[in-house]
mmCIF file of all heavy atoms in Angstrom:
data_model
loop_
_atom_site.group_PDB
_atom_site.id
_atom_site.type_symbol
_atom_site.label_atom_id
_atom_site.label_comp_id
_atom_site.label_asym_id
_atom_site.label_seq_id
_atom_site.Cartn_x
_atom_site.Cartn_y
_atom_site.Cartn_z
ATOM 1 N N LEU C 162 83.196 81.757 159.870
ATOM 2 C CA LEU C 162 82.828 82.112 158.487
ATOM 3 C C LEU C 162 84.066 82.116 157.592
ATOM 4 O O LEU C 162 84.024 81.656 156.448
ATOM 5 C CB LEU C 162 82.161 83.495 158.458
ATOM 6 C CG LEU C 162 80.724 83.521 159.015
ATOM 7 C CD1 LEU C 162 80.175 84.949 158.995
ATOM 8 C CD2 LEU C 162 79.818 82.584 158.205
ATOM 9 N N ALA C 163 85.172 82.617 158.142
ATOM 10 C CA ALA C 163 86.409 82.667 157.344
ATOM 11 C C ALA C 163 86.879 81.248 157.009
ATOM 12 O O ALA C 163 87.353 80.985 155.894
ATOM 13 C CB ALA C 163 87.483 83.436 158.112
ATOM 14 N N LEU C 164 86.747 80.337 157.957
ATOM 15 C CA LEU C 164 87.157 78.947 157.696
ATOM 16 C C LEU C 164 86.236 78.297 156.663
ATOM 17 O O LEU C 164 86.694 77.559 155.779
ATOM 18 C CB LEU C 164 87.162 78.135 159.008
ATOM 19 C CG LEU C 164 88.239 78.529 160.032
ATOM 20 C CD1 LEU C 164 88.022 77.794 161.365
ATOM 21 C CD2 LEU C 164 89.648 78.220 159.492
ATOM 22 N N ILE C 165 84.930 78.596 156.763
ATOM 23 C CA ILE C 165 83.965 78.035 155.787
ATOM 24 C C ILE C 165 84.324 78.543 154.382
ATOM 25 O O ILE C 165 84.337 77.781 153.416
ATOM 26 C CB ILE C 165 82.516 78.415 156.185
ATOM 27 C CG1 ILE C 165 82.107 77.613 157.436
ATOM 28 C CG2 ILE C 165 81.542 78.146 155.035
ATOM 29 C CD1 ILE C 165 80.786 78.028 158.054
ATOM 30 N N LYS C 166 84.658 79.831 154.323
ATOM 31 C CA LYS C 166 85.040 80.421 153.040
ATOM 32 C C LYS C 166 86.281 79.722 152.460
ATOM 33 O O LYS C 166 86.453 79.622 151.247
ATOM 34 C CB LYS C 166 85.336 81.913 153.260
ATOM 35 C CG LYS C 166 85.033 82.762 152.067
ATOM 36 C CD LYS C 166 85.068 84.229 152.443
ATOM 37 C CE LYS C 166 85.531 85.041 151.246
ATOM 38 N NZ LYS C 166 85.936 86.378 151.617
ATOM 39 N N ALA C 167 87.127 79.217 153.375
ATOM 40 C CA ALA C 167 88.338 78.515 152.920
ATOM 41 C C ALA C 167 88.048 77.042 152.584
ATOM 42 O O ALA C 167 88.976 76.269 152.332
ATOM 43 C CB ALA C 167 89.426 78.618 153.982
ATOM 44 N N GLY C 168 86.759 76.650 152.673
ATOM 45 C CA GLY C 168 86.388 75.302 152.247
ATOM 46 C C GLY C 168 86.215 74.293 153.376
ATOM 47 O O GLY C 168 85.995 73.102 153.127
ATOM 48 N N LEU C 169 86.306 74.752 154.622
ATOM 49 C CA LEU C 169 86.159 73.818 155.750
ATOM 50 C C LEU C 169 84.695 73.716 156.184
ATOM 51 O O LEU C 169 83.918 74.649 155.956
ATOM 52 C CB LEU C 169 87.010 74.312 156.925
ATOM 53 C CG LEU C 169 88.421 73.734 157.023
ATOM 54 C CD1 LEU C 169 89.222 74.030 155.784
ATOM 55 C CD2 LEU C 169 89.127 74.295 158.252
ATOM 56 N N PRO C 170 84.334 72.613 156.859
ATOM 57 C CA PRO C 170 82.993 72.553 157.443
ATOM 58 C C PRO C 170 82.910 73.490 158.654
ATOM 59 O O PRO C 170 83.948 73.914 159.166
ATOM 60 C CB PRO C 170 82.870 71.089 157.883
ATOM 61 C CG PRO C 170 84.272 70.617 158.059
ATOM 62 C CD PRO C 170 85.118 71.401 157.090
ATOM 63 N N SER C 171 81.698 73.773 159.125
ATOM 64 C CA SER C 171 81.559 74.649 160.299
ATOM 65 C C SER C 171 82.227 74.012 161.517
ATOM 66 O O SER C 171 82.009 72.854 161.821
ATOM 67 C CB SER C 171 80.076 74.887 160.598
ATOM 68 O OG SER C 171 79.976 75.611 161.799
ATOM 69 N N MET C 172 83.032 74.799 162.190
ATOM 70 C CA MET C 172 83.770 74.314 163.367
ATOM 71 C C MET C 172 83.226 74.927 164.657
ATOM 72 O O MET C 172 83.687 74.617 165.745
ATOM 73 C CB MET C 172 85.251 74.740 163.256
ATOM 74 C CG MET C 172 86.046 73.956 162.258
ATOM 75 S SD MET C 172 86.272 72.287 162.882
ATOM 76 C CE MET C 172 85.926 71.375 161.413
ATOM 77 N N LEU C 173 82.259 75.859 164.506
ATOM 78 C CA LEU C 173 81.866 76.677 165.666
ATOM 79 C C LEU C 173 81.288 75.833 166.807
ATOM 80 O O LEU C 173 81.669 76.014 167.961
ATOM 81 C CB LEU C 173 80.873 77.762 165.227
ATOM 82 C CG LEU C 173 80.486 78.771 166.305
ATOM 83 C CD1 LEU C 173 81.709 79.512 166.838
ATOM 84 C CD2 LEU C 173 79.465 79.781 165.777
#
Side-chain angles (χ1 to χ4, degrees):
L162 287 178
L164 292 172
I165 288 172
K166 210 168 149 196
L169 266 59
S171 174
M172 286 290 136
L173 186 59

